[in-house]
Amino acid sequence: MIQRYEVQTKFIYGWENVWADDNEKPTVFKTKKEAQAELKDSVDSWNNDPNTTSKYSYNDYRIIYTDKKNRIWLILE
């Protein structure tokens, strides 16, 4: 298992990484800083778009870290 960070989205049934690359593979990040930057860019871009009729909330996202032993850690910030 490779260490990685994921940005997850909250759904009614729980949390899931629904971010994917061009090949439909789930997007993961090597560092917490990369994951935080991607989340901020996505939420802010959506919310600042003049055509947006509803806003995203940071409360609907979280960043988790999976270590080499496959343990999952929630990143709070």
Side-chain angles (χ1 to χ4, degrees):
M1 172 58 73
I2 297 173
Q3 300 174 72
R4 67 176 189 258
Y5 292 85
E6 290 182 21
V7 176
Q8 295 185 335
T9 306
K10 183 171 46 172
F11 293 95
I12 294 170
Y13 57 83
W15 295 92
E16 185 178 349
N17 180 2
V18 294
W19 300 35
D21 64 16
D22 294 336
N23 297 319
E24 303 290 324
K25 291 184 180 179
T27 302
V28 294
F29 304 92
K30 291 180 183 177
T31 68
K32 177 175 72 171
K33 188 174 183 177
E34 288 175 357
Q36 289 171 320
E38 179 67 22
L39 175 58
K40 182 176 181 351
D41 182 55
S42 293
V43 171
D44 290 351
S45 293
W46 178 267
N47 288 344
N48 293 326
D49 184 321
N51 298 314
T52 298
T53 58
S54 62
K55 302 291 185 181
Y56 286 168
S57 170
Y58 283 102
N59 293 329
D60 292 330
Y61 301 92
R62 70 179 186 179
I63 297 173
I64 64 162
Y65 172 72
T66 303
D67 68 15
K68 290 180 181 179
K69 295 182 180 180
N70 210 28
R71 294 178 294 195
I72 296 175
W73 305 88
L74 176 61
I75 307 298
L76 298 173
E77 286 188 29

